[in-house]
Amino acid sequence: MKIVSVTATYKRKQITSDTLKLLTQQTLKLAGAVVVGSCEEDHEAADSVGAVYVNFPNSPLGAKWQAGIAKAREFNPDAVLICGSDDWLTSNWCEVCSKEIEAGYDLVGKSKCYMCQMTPNKPIQLIE
């Protein structure tokens, strides 16, 4: 299964770099990663993990995502993983999704997600 991730970002170098590093730790290795940004720090985040960088204006955001998907298509993937610049996935996410894709599903996603509010020097607060 050939999966390529697409991440759109804008001036979020550290969190985007952390997110991209987590994507490189998937149990089913990604065939490629595309980062769409519009400033030097976005480019640096992409370079930090060897992702392909696409420079595109931040607005309209839909067109920015589309530019990333167009670049991902050049990899001829079986699937495209849309991942926000601060979306952290479990390390087996691509592996789990690949089974659903192989079963014939065209769109695979989450039915529930958990978010954490992280504030320095305070306990992590889980938000459902």
Side-chain angles (χ1 to χ4, degrees):
M1 173 75 45
K2 200 171 169 184
I3 301 174
V4 176
S5 69
V6 176
T7 303
T9 188
Y10 180 66
K11 293 187 177 183
R12 304 184 80 196
K13 180 182 175 183
Q14 187 59 55
I15 192 75
T16 301
S17 294
D18 291 343
T19 299
L20 295 169
K21 285 175 188 162
L22 288 170
L23 285 174
T24 66
Q25 298 170 9
Q26 286 291 308
T27 55
L28 174 65
K29 297 299 177 201
L30 294 172
V34 176
V35 174
V36 189
S38 52
C39 66
E40 185 56 35
E41 64 185 87
D42 299 340
H43 198 165
E44 291 170 3
D47 286 348
S48 74
V49 296
V52 173
Y53 179 73
V54 175
N55 190 41
F56 199 88
N58 200 47
S59 181
L61 188 55
K64 185 174 187 174
W65 279 106
Q66 195 58 47
I69 292 168
K71 188 65 169 178
R73 285 183 174 152
E74 293 178 16
F75 287 84
N76 195 28
D78 298 305
V80 174
L81 170 64
I82 304 297
C83 185
S85 59
D86 61 356
D87 291 346
W88 290 8
L89 307 170
T90 58
S91 62
N92 68 338
W93 179 251
C94 289
E95 185 178 346
V96 168
C97 290
S98 70
K99 293 173 185 167
E100 301 301 325
I101 294 164
E102 288 170 350
Y105 290 96
D106 292 326
L107 179 64
V108 179
K110 307 174 251 190
S111 60
K112 190 171 193 175
C113 95
Y114 297 94
M115 297 186 183
C116 295
Q117 178 67 40
M118 295 172 45
T119 305
N121 302 317
K122 292 186 179 179
I124 295 173
Q125 180 184 1
L126 182 63
I127 303 167
E128 285 190 60

